[in-house]
Amino acid sequence: MSTDGYVREKLAAGVSCLVGIGGIHSRLVNAFISMTTINGSNFSDEALGKRFDALYSLVTSVSAQGGEGKIQATINTMSDEDASGVAHELFDLYASALRALKK
């Protein structure tokens, strides 16, 4: 599988976690946990890679407490509106990556 294919697969896994049962916070945590194996340098489109890194930095900005990781700790501090905004940005990033990879 190409690097682009792997990135697309991981973004798809993350986006798929956003739909289903559970609150926005738990779905968002699952989405980002499913994408821990990629980072911006994996994207062939540099602008998309920078967007991913900025988004990932946003959801890992709070230090872990106890047994939770940085993703959980950070997302736990977000309001429903902020968490929803991150989810929308992730979906938009995924859609942008699909468009870019089709060129």
Side-chain angles (χ1 to χ4, degrees), residues 43-60:
F43 288 71
S44 61
D45 183 305
E46 185 177 339
L48 291 176
K50 287 181 179 181
R51 280 179 63 191
F52 180 83
D53 281 344
L55 194 56
Y56 198 82
S57 291
L58 179 66
V59 300
T60 57

Side-chain angles (χ1 to χ4, degrees), residues 22-89:
I24 185 63
H25 293 87
S26 64
R27 289 182 280 134
L28 199 56
V29 167
N30 290 335
F32 279 92
I33 288 173
S34 73
M35 298 183 296
T36 57
T37 60
I38 61 171
N39 61 58
S41 68
N42 299 124
F43 288 71
S44 61
D45 183 305
E46 185 177 339
L48 291 176
K50 287 181 179 181
R51 280 179 63 191
F52 180 83
D53 281 344
L55 194 56
Y56 198 82
S57 291
L58 179 66
V59 300
T60 57
S61 60
V62 174
S63 297
Q65 302 292 319
E68 67 185 1
K70 291 179 83 171
I71 293 170
Q72 182 78 56
T74 304
I75 293 174
N76 282 347
T77 68
M78 293 181 177
S79 67
D80 288 349
E81 292 79 17
D82 289 343
S84 180
V86 171
H88 282 281
E89 175 60 22

